[in-house]
Amino acid sequence: KVAGRSIDSLNLASLRRRLNRSLVVQRAENTAVIDGEDLTVVWNCAGYCRAARETSIEFSIDADANIPFAELDCVAFDLRRDPGKEHGIRPMLVGPDGSAKKIAVPFLSPIRSQESFSVLLRCRLPRCMKAGIDYYTATFSFDQETVPHYSARLRFLHGRPQWVRAYEWRTGGAVTLLKDLAPRNPETETGEYVDTDENVPAASARIYVFLRRLPMQAAERSAGTADET
């Protein structure tokens, strides 16, 4: 639990955690766009292969709501071979389909030992965010000591939350409050928060917890559902 909220998706993901032993990630950039009840996640990861051969890279996509994989709007790009992003790649589900998913992004062609990679993943998860205290997680599962360069950007499109806090979870269950995040442009209505760090543990998760009001359109939908009931 963090800030009184059970982080269910991370609890489930921990039960099925497996480390990637063939790739070394040197840079991980993450963006989360929160639009009312919808969440769009963008990952850009770069590094190199240390195995003889690798065909894909895996990502964790976690949310409290169990949105079937078939309903996710996901596309990826192999930026080393397709810098112009002309050949979209549909990720594949790895393991069970639940609120905590593992998905694999195939490279356009296998990479070899010491060959570099750069992959962009964009995934939209509808109807998974709630009013009040909610969270977003960024998870790492790589068999290396640290990820040298990490950055996360959280964007709230319909008003800034009252507060945003960054926590770190490490293998073993310990959760630590790292920092309170301040909006980059306090004078604007759209809230944007940035978290940058060096040498982030490669088997860990960043948990971003925030408090926000329910957007007006979502409130009207909730009221309508209550009236119908």
Side-chain angles (χ1 to χ4, degrees):
K1 289 187 175 182
V2 177
R5 178 71 189 271
S6 178
I7 313 298
D8 294 334
S9 64
L10 185 57
N11 293 331
L12 289 172
S14 299
L15 298 176
R16 298 193 289 264
R17 177 178 295 275
R18 65 179 190 177
L19 297 179
N20 185 311
R21 304 182 187 280
S22 59
L23 300 176
V24 174
V25 173
Q26 298 169 303
R27 174 178 54 82
E29 299 174 350
N30 177 221
T31 299
V33 179
I34 298 160
D35 183 2
E37 297 175 320
D38 300 336
L39 170 67
T40 299
V41 178
V42 180
W43 277 101
N44 190 338
C45 292
Y48 66 92
C49 179
R50 64 179 172 188
R53 182 177 183 271
E54 181 55 271
T55 59
S56 65
I57 180 173
E58 294 183 0
F59 293 87
S60 295
I61 302 296
D62 306 327
D64 271 355
N66 184 5
I67 303 164
F69 176 71
E71 295 183 14
L72 297 185
D73 180 12
C74 289
V75 64
F77 298 94
D78 184 346
L79 298 180
R80 292 290 296 177
R81 294 173 171 80
D82 180 27
K85 296 186 287 189
E86 298 177 355
H87 306 284
I89 302 169
R90 171 65 178 174
M92 302 179 299
L93 180 66
V94 179
D97 189 355
S99 59
K101 296 175 173 58
K102 273 286 189 182
I103 63 174
V105 174
F107 299 116
L108 290 179
S109 60
I111 59 175
R112 309 290 178 175
S113 178
Q114 303 304 307
E115 186 176 355
S116 62
F117 69 86
S118 179
V119 171
L120 176 71
L121 169 68
R122 183 183 298 112
C123 193
R124 181 177 178 272
L125 293 80
R127 307 177 306 280
C128 69
M129 307 304 294
K130 304 178 181 66
I133 295 179
D134 208 351
Y135 69 93
Y136 165 72
T137 61
T139 306
F140 300 99
S141 298
F142 293 92
D143 187 22
Q144 60 190 77
E145 288 294 324
T146 63
V147 176
H149 304 287
Y150 167 75
S151 67
R153 186 184 305 269
L154 279 71
R155 298 185 63 214
F156 297 85
L157 299 188
H158 300 288
R160 296 193 305 271
Q162 295 184 29
W163 48 260
V164 180
R165 295 170 186 150
Y167 295 79
E168 183 179 77
W169 173 89
R170 298 194 184 190
T171 302
V175 177
T176 304
L177 173 62
L178 296 179
K179 64 188 81 172
D180 285 89
L181 299 181
R184 293 194 66 184
N185 301 302
E187 67 279 1
T188 63
E189 181 64 19
T190 298
E192 182 172 292
Y193 300 76
V194 176
D195 177 25
T196 59
D197 209 346
E198 305 293 324
N199 299 317
V200 174
S204 67
R206 287 287 169 106
I207 308 169
Y208 299 98
V209 184
F210 44 85
L211 173 63
R212 65 184 184 129
R213 299 186 183 93
L214 187 68
M216 183 60 67
Q217 291 179 346
E220 292 173 351
R221 284 197 297 271
S222 297
T225 301
D227 292 341
E228 293 172 3
T229 302

